[in-house]
Amino acid sequence: AMHAPLGTLVRRGQAEGAFRSDQPEAWLLATCFALMHAYRDEVRAGRLRAEDAIPTLQATLRRVFQTDAGAAS
C-alpha cells in the first residue's frame, strides 16, 4: 500500500536532485522497507532501545537517499 506513494516521492526527489539517482527507485524503496523491518526486529530482540529506533532509522535512511552533494554537508 505504501509502495506507490513512496515510489512517486522517490521519483520526484530523484528528478529534482534531492535524492540519489545512481540507484534505481525500486532498490531505494526495497532498502527503505528492509531497514524499517530490521529496526523493528532489533527493538523486539532488545538490541536497540525503542527510543533510539526512530532517530537511528532516520539517520540511516538519510544516508541511503542522499546525493553526493548531500554527503559533503
Side-chain angles (χ1 to χ4, degrees), residues 11-47:
R11 283 190 301 279
R12 187 176 76 218
Q14 287 177 316
E16 294 174 357
F19 294 159
R20 66 188 303 162
S21 58
D22 64 325
Q23 300 294 320
E25 165 210 338
W27 177 250
L28 292 175
L29 286 175
T31 302
C32 177
F33 283 107
L35 283 169
M36 287 190 283
H37 288 284
Y39 277 80
R40 179 205 57 207
D41 294 345
E42 291 300 299
V43 169
R44 285 182 179 170
R47 293 184 293 263

